[in-house]
PDB file of all heavy atoms in Angstrom:
ATOM      1  N   TYR A   9      43.635 186.646  -2.496  1.00  0.00           N
ATOM      2  CA  TYR A   9      43.856 186.161  -1.132  1.00  0.00           C
ATOM      3  C   TYR A   9      43.845 184.635  -1.029  1.00  0.00           C
ATOM      4  O   TYR A   9      44.049 184.086   0.064  1.00  0.00           O
ATOM      5  CB  TYR A   9      42.778 186.696  -0.185  1.00  0.00           C
ATOM      6  CG  TYR A   9      42.576 188.193  -0.198  1.00  0.00           C
ATOM      7  CD1 TYR A   9      41.372 188.740   0.219  1.00  0.00           C
ATOM      8  CD2 TYR A   9      43.582 189.059  -0.601  1.00  0.00           C
ATOM      9  CE1 TYR A   9      41.172 190.112   0.232  1.00  0.00           C
ATOM     10  CE2 TYR A   9      43.395 190.430  -0.604  1.00  0.00           C
ATOM     11  CZ  TYR A   9      42.178 190.949  -0.185  1.00  0.00           C
ATOM     12  OH  TYR A   9      41.984 192.297  -0.183  1.00  0.00           O
ATOM     13  N   ASP A  10      43.608 183.942  -2.128  1.00  0.00           N
ATOM     14  CA  ASP A  10      43.386 182.498  -2.058  1.00  0.00           C
ATOM     15  C   ASP A  10      44.562 181.758  -1.431  1.00  0.00           C
ATOM     16  O   ASP A  10      44.372 180.783  -0.697  1.00  0.00           O
ATOM     17  CB  ASP A  10      43.111 181.935  -3.462  1.00  0.00           C
ATOM     18  CG  ASP A  10      41.754 182.363  -3.995  1.00  0.00           C
ATOM     19  OD1 ASP A  10      40.940 182.879  -3.205  1.00  0.00           O
ATOM     20  OD2 ASP A  10      41.510 182.187  -5.217  1.00  0.00           O
ATOM     21  N   ASP A  11      45.789 182.191  -1.725  1.00  0.00           N
ATOM     22  CA  ASP A  11      46.951 181.477  -1.199  1.00  0.00           C
ATOM     23  C   ASP A  11      46.974 181.501   0.328  1.00  0.00           C
ATOM     24  O   ASP A  11      47.395 180.519   0.958  1.00  0.00           O
ATOM     25  CB  ASP A  11      48.246 182.082  -1.753  1.00  0.00           C
ATOM     26  CG  ASP A  11      48.527 181.627  -3.179  1.00  0.00           C
ATOM     27  OD1 ASP A  11      47.739 180.818  -3.708  1.00  0.00           O
ATOM     28  OD2 ASP A  11      49.522 182.081  -3.768  1.00  0.00           O
ATOM     29  N   ILE A  12      46.546 182.618   0.917  1.00  0.00           N
ATOM     30  CA  ILE A  12      46.510 182.686   2.374  1.00  0.00           C
ATOM     31  C   ILE A  12      45.356 181.852   2.919  1.00  0.00           C
ATOM     32  O   ILE A  12      45.532 181.048   3.846  1.00  0.00           O
ATOM     33  CB  ILE A  12      46.408 184.143   2.857  1.00  0.00           C
ATOM     34  CG1 ILE A  12      47.726 184.871   2.578  1.00  0.00           C
ATOM     35  CG2 ILE A  12      46.057 184.210   4.349  1.00  0.00           C
ATOM     36  CD1 ILE A  12      47.767 186.302   3.035  1.00  0.00           C
ATOM     37  N   TYR A  13      44.172 182.011   2.349  1.00  0.00           N
ATOM     38  CA  TYR A  13      43.018 181.261   2.845  1.00  0.00           C
ATOM     39  C   TYR A  13      43.174 179.755   2.645  1.00  0.00           C
ATOM     40  O   TYR A  13      42.642 178.960   3.432  1.00  0.00           O
ATOM     41  CB  TYR A  13      41.747 181.737   2.145  1.00  0.00           C
ATOM     42  CG  TYR A  13      41.273 183.101   2.590  1.00  0.00           C
ATOM     43  CD1 TYR A  13      40.734 184.004   1.688  1.00  0.00           C
ATOM     44  CD2 TYR A  13      41.355 183.491   3.930  1.00  0.00           C
ATOM     45  CE1 TYR A  13      40.285 185.254   2.093  1.00  0.00           C
ATOM     46  CE2 TYR A  13      40.925 184.739   4.345  1.00  0.00           C
ATOM     47  CZ  TYR A  13      40.377 185.616   3.424  1.00  0.00           C
ATOM     48  OH  TYR A  13      39.938 186.852   3.833  1.00  0.00           O
ATOM     49  N   ASP A  14      43.912 179.355   1.599  1.00  0.00           N
ATOM     50  CA  ASP A  14      44.091 177.924   1.318  1.00  0.00           C
ATOM     51  C   ASP A  14      45.278 177.316   2.058  1.00  0.00           C
ATOM     52  O   ASP A  14      45.514 176.103   1.938  1.00  0.00           O
ATOM     53  CB  ASP A  14      44.286 177.698  -0.187  1.00  0.00           C
ATOM     54  CG  ASP A  14      43.030 178.016  -0.986  1.00  0.00           C
ATOM     55  OD1 ASP A  14      41.941 178.075  -0.386  1.00  0.00           O
ATOM     56  OD2 ASP A  14      43.152 178.232  -2.213  1.00  0.00           O
ATOM     57  N   PHE A  15      46.028 178.125   2.800  1.00  0.00           N
ATOM     58  CA  PHE A  15      47.191 177.607   3.531  1.00  0.00           C
ATOM     59  C   PHE A  15      46.749 176.455   4.418  1.00  0.00           C
ATOM     60  O   PHE A  15      45.775 176.569   5.177  1.00  0.00           O
ATOM     61  CB  PHE A  15      47.818 178.719   4.349  1.00  0.00           C
ATOM     62  CG  PHE A  15      49.065 178.330   5.087  1.00  0.00           C
ATOM     63  CD1 PHE A  15      50.195 177.909   4.411  1.00  0.00           C
ATOM     64  CD2 PHE A  15      49.114 178.388   6.477  1.00  0.00           C
ATOM     65  CE1 PHE A  15      51.352 177.564   5.085  1.00  0.00           C
ATOM     66  CE2 PHE A  15      50.265 178.049   7.168  1.00  0.00           C
ATOM     67  CZ  PHE A  15      51.384 177.634   6.471  1.00  0.00           C
ATOM     68  N   CYS A  16      47.460 175.335   4.364  1.00  0.00           N
ATOM     69  CA  CYS A  16      46.973 174.076   4.924  1.00  0.00           C
ATOM     70  C   CYS A  16      47.050 173.977   6.444  1.00  0.00           C
ATOM     71  O   CYS A  16      46.304 173.211   7.057  1.00  0.00           O
ATOM     72  CB  CYS A  16      47.732 172.906   4.304  1.00  0.00           C
ATOM     73  SG  CYS A  16      49.521 172.942   4.606  1.00  0.00           S
ATOM     74  N   LEU A  17      47.933 174.730   7.077  1.00  0.00           N
ATOM     75  CA  LEU A  17      48.116 174.587   8.522  1.00  0.00           C
ATOM     76  C   LEU A  17      46.985 175.281   9.270  1.00  0.00           C
ATOM     77  O   LEU A  17      46.654 176.440   8.995  1.00  0.00           O
ATOM     78  CB  LEU A  17      49.461 175.193   8.936  1.00  0.00           C
ATOM     79  CG  LEU A  17      49.931 174.918  10.363  1.00  0.00           C
ATOM     80  CD1 LEU A  17      50.068 173.418  10.596  1.00  0.00           C
ATOM     81  CD2 LEU A  17      51.267 175.612  10.627  1.00  0.00           C
ATOM     82  N   ASN A  18      46.377 174.545  10.211  1.00  0.00           N
ATOM     83  CA  ASN A  18      45.302 175.106  11.018  1.00  0.00           C
ATOM     84  C   ASN A  18      45.787 175.198  12.460  1.00  0.00           C
ATOM     85  O   ASN A  18      45.791 174.207  13.186  1.00  0.00           O
ATOM     86  CB  ASN A  18      44.042 174.246  10.926  1.00  0.00           C
ATOM     87  CG  ASN A  18      42.879 174.861  11.677  1.00  0.00           C
ATOM     88  OD1 ASN A  18      42.580 176.034  11.505  1.00  0.00           O
ATOM     89  ND2 ASN A  18      42.225 174.081  12.516  1.00  0.00           N
ATOM     90  N   ASP A  19      46.236 176.375  12.848  1.00  0.00           N
ATOM     91  CA  ASP A  19      46.712 176.580  14.207  1.00  0.00           C
ATOM     92  C   ASP A  19      46.255 177.951  14.688  1.00  0.00           C
ATOM     93  O   ASP A  19      45.559 178.675  13.982  1.00  0.00           O
ATOM     94  CB  ASP A  19      48.235 176.439  14.294  1.00  0.00           C
ATOM     95  CG  ASP A  19      48.987 177.401  13.378  1.00  0.00           C
ATOM     96  OD1 ASP A  19      48.344 178.299  12.783  1.00  0.00           O
ATOM     97  OD2 ASP A  19      50.221 177.268  13.249  1.00  0.00           O
ATOM     98  N   LEU A  20      46.630 178.292  15.909  1.00  0.00           N
ATOM     99  CA  LEU A  20      46.232 179.578  16.486  1.00  0.00           C
ATOM    100  C   LEU A  20      46.670 180.741  15.605  1.00  0.00           C
ATOM    101  O   LEU A  20      45.920 181.702  15.407  1.00  0.00           O
ATOM    102  CB  LEU A  20      46.834 179.705  17.884  1.00  0.00           C
ATOM    103  CG  LEU A  20      46.574 180.972  18.685  1.00  0.00           C
ATOM    104  CD1 LEU A  20      46.524 180.654  20.179  1.00  0.00           C
ATOM    105  CD2 LEU A  20      47.641 182.045  18.443  1.00  0.00           C
ATOM    106  N   TYR A  21      47.858 180.640  15.032  1.00  0.00           N
ATOM    107  CA  TYR A  21      48.435 181.747  14.282  1.00  0.00           C
ATOM    108  C   TYR A  21      47.736 181.911  12.932  1.00  0.00           C
ATOM    109  O   TYR A  21      47.491 183.036  12.491  1.00  0.00           O
ATOM    110  CB  TYR A  21      49.939 181.515  14.105  1.00  0.00           C
ATOM    111  CG  TYR A  21      50.557 180.987  15.381  1.00  0.00           C
ATOM    112  CD1 TYR A  21      50.849 179.629  15.531  1.00  0.00           C
ATOM    113  CD2 TYR A  21      50.772 181.828  16.459  1.00  0.00           C
ATOM    114  CE1 TYR A  21      51.368 179.137  16.709  1.00  0.00           C
ATOM    115  CE2 TYR A  21      51.289 181.329  17.649  1.00  0.00           C
ATOM    116  CZ  TYR A  21      51.578 179.976  17.769  1.00  0.00           C
ATOM    117  OH  TYR A  21      52.073 179.488  18.952  1.00  0.00           O
ATOM    118  N   SER A  22      47.416 180.802  12.271  1.00  0.00           N
ATOM    119  CA  SER A  22      46.723 180.905  10.979  1.00  0.00           C
ATOM    120  C   SER A  22      45.312 181.453  11.165  1.00  0.00           C
ATOM    121  O   SER A  22      44.824 182.211  10.314  1.00  0.00           O
ATOM    122  CB  SER A  22      46.681 179.545  10.277  1.00  0.00           C
ATOM    123  OG  SER A  22      45.927 178.599  11.011  1.00  0.00           O
ATOM    124  N   VAL A  23      44.645 181.097  12.265  1.00  0.00           N
ATOM    125  CA  VAL A  23      43.320 181.652  12.539  1.00  0.00           C
ATOM    126  C   VAL A  23      43.414 183.161  12.740  1.00  0.00           C
ATOM    127  O   VAL A  23      42.594 183.931  12.222  1.00  0.00           O
ATOM    128  CB  VAL A  23      42.684 180.978  13.772  1.00  0.00           C
ATOM    129  CG1 VAL A  23      41.377 181.681  14.168  1.00  0.00           C
ATOM    130  CG2 VAL A  23      42.400 179.509  13.482  1.00  0.00           C
TER     131      VAL A  23
END
Side-chain angles (χ1 to χ4, degrees):
Y9 307 157
D10 289 347
D11 282 358
I12 290 181
Y13 287 142
D14 293 342
F15 183 62
C16 61
L17 190 59
N18 184 49
D19 58 8
L20 179 148
Y21 318 101
S22 64
V23 173

